[in-house]
Amino acid sequence: MKPDPISGGCLCGAIRYELHTPAKSIEHCHCSQCRRAHGALYASGGLYDSAAVKITQGEKRLTAYESTAGNWRQFCSTCGCHLFMTVDAFPNEIYVWVASLDDGMHPGHPADKEGHIFVGSKAQWEIISNDLPHFDAESDSLGIGN
Ligand SMILES: [Zn+2]
Ligand SMILES: [Zn+2]
């Protein structure tokens, strides 16, 4: 039996989405772009097959910024909340910024498929205090297209 989808959305509530599978992996990204985009020390991206992510409300409010060639950060044009990132080279997968899930819900990824990436770019004062794997830049084991 297929599990029930879990839901999330933006800060103002205009955009709502459902995830129909568990995340394949979670990457906590400490790169300088994620820091600025999210106004936070890092951003937690869940990797999903595009077909597993359904926008159920407010799709017209989504806007996108191409932060690196082919990388599209998608956010609500009203409240600025970042929800997704797509990469042109991998059209069948999508990152969901899973802190936008309702009630802090667990994205369902396997325990060994979570880590910190771009740790080499983290803010000088950030202390990463858990035992997950750390990668200086991207991770071959966790990232898109693997
Ligand atoms: Zn919004
Ligand atoms: Zn990043």
Side-chain angles (χ1 to χ4, degrees), residues 17-31:
Y17 66 82
E18 287 178 353
L19 304 176
H20 287 256
T21 63
K24 297 195 280 188
S25 65
I26 300 289
E27 294 173 294
H28 302 290
C29 186
H30 301 254
C31 82

Side-chain angles (χ1 to χ4, degrees), residues 29-35 43 73 85 97 117-118:
C29 186
H30 301 254
C31 82
S32 61
Q33 293 186 347
C34 285
R35 290 210 311 276
R73 293 176 184 269
M85 189 170 83
W97 301 116
I117 64 168
F118 286 97

Side-chain angles (χ1 to χ4, degrees), residues 66-90:
E66 191 178 21
S67 56
T68 299
N71 288 15
W72 296 91
R73 293 176 184 269
Q74 300 181 29
F75 54 95
C76 175
S77 57
T78 299
C79 68
C81 176
H82 281 248
L83 295 173
F84 312 114
M85 189 170 83
T86 55
V87 178
D88 285 351
F90 303 103

